[in-house]
Amino acid sequence: MKITPILTQLRDHCPGLANQVAVGVDLALLQSNTALPTPSAHVTPLADLASPSTGQNATRQAIRDRFVITLVLDASDGRQALEQLESLRAELWRALVGFKPGADYNPIEYDGGELVSLSATRLFYQLRFFAEFQLGRNLASQPAETWRERELDGLPSFTGVTVRVDAIDPADPNLKHPGPDGRLELTFSGDVTQ
């Protein structure tokens, strides 16, 4: 999932963060950075989970893209930090739950949260979210998403068929074994029109 729509959504709809929204790559790095503004939110892609394909002759996999938002709060006043945490969690839910981060994605859902660390000066709290999309296209007119779809797109178009029938019955009495005698009893063709 692209991270820019998430960042934009948080900046536009979370006034309690005062535009202090960034990409957070590593939790240990965030925790060691004493210059981080508070409050601030740091968005980090977490993982993607794939379910088995539901298609029999095509790929149809649900992919769950997960990401985490780490809130960094000033914890010098513990009561105030916990109050602010509750307010910011509610803002994040209002901004993200139900938001579609891309045309191919289902709306974002909340996956839980937890306190990561609490010291005399900083509180770190992580909230996990996810959005799902389907790997494998629905229509042949859509761009290929898998190798099999790309391979099928490279085949020539189906324009028609010719069928030649050599029937087994009635059997030719001149042959020792009944079966096709090599003479065509029926031939027909069909053209595909679009």
Side-chain angles (χ1 to χ4, degrees):
M1 147 184 342
K2 291 187 178 181
I3 206 78
T4 303
I6 304 295
L7 297 173
T8 303
Q9 186 74 359
L10 293 175
R11 288 180 183 132
D12 291 347
H13 298 283
C14 292
L17 293 171
N19 280 334
Q20 297 299 324
V21 178
V23 175
V25 179
D26 182 38
L27 180 62
L29 185 62
L30 289 174
Q31 289 175 317
S32 66
N33 185 349
T34 58
L36 283 177
T38 57
S40 62
H42 305 271
V43 182
T44 307
L46 192 58
D48 64 57
L49 305 172
S51 59
S53 181
T54 58
Q56 292 183 0
N57 61 350
T59 300
R60 299 280 186 283
Q61 279 186 282
I63 308 293
R64 177 177 285 192
D65 274 345
R66 298 175 62 215
F67 63 96
V68 65
I69 298 177
T70 305
L71 289 175
V72 182
L73 306 176
D74 180 3
S76 54
D77 180 345
R79 184 189 61 76
Q80 183 180 355
L82 293 176
E83 294 288 328
Q84 187 177 34
L85 173 61
E86 289 303 309
S87 297
L88 289 174
R89 278 185 355 158
E91 280 188 16
L92 289 173
W93 292 333
R94 282 191 299 270
L96 293 178
V97 175
F99 171 69
K100 290 181 74 170
D104 295 336
Y105 282 88
N106 291 340
I108 292 175
E109 295 183 45
Y110 182 59
D111 197 28
E114 61 192 352
L115 181 67
V116 176
S117 68
L118 176 61
S119 67
T121 58
R122 294 288 172 101
L123 181 146
F124 287 84
Y125 192 89
Q126 287 190 328
L127 297 99
R128 293 179 308 278
F129 296 88
F130 68 88
E132 292 182 343
F133 70 96
Q134 175 184 288
L135 176 61
R137 64 186 176 200
N138 289 319
L139 302 171
S141 60
Q142 296 173 330
E145 294 181 4
T146 65
W147 172 251
R148 179 75 175 137
E149 291 170 353
R150 178 181 273 178
E151 189 176 46
L152 291 174
D153 288 350
L155 295 175
S157 297
F158 179 69
T159 57
V161 64
T162 299
V163 178
R164 295 179 181 92
V165 180
D166 182 0
I168 293 175
D169 282 330
D172 187 343
N174 298 321
L175 296 175
K176 287 186 173 184
H177 303 289
D181 58 9
R183 292 180 298 192
L184 297 178
E185 282 80 26
L186 178 66
T187 300
F188 62 92
S189 296
D191 293 329
V192 176
T193 57
Q194 294 181 353

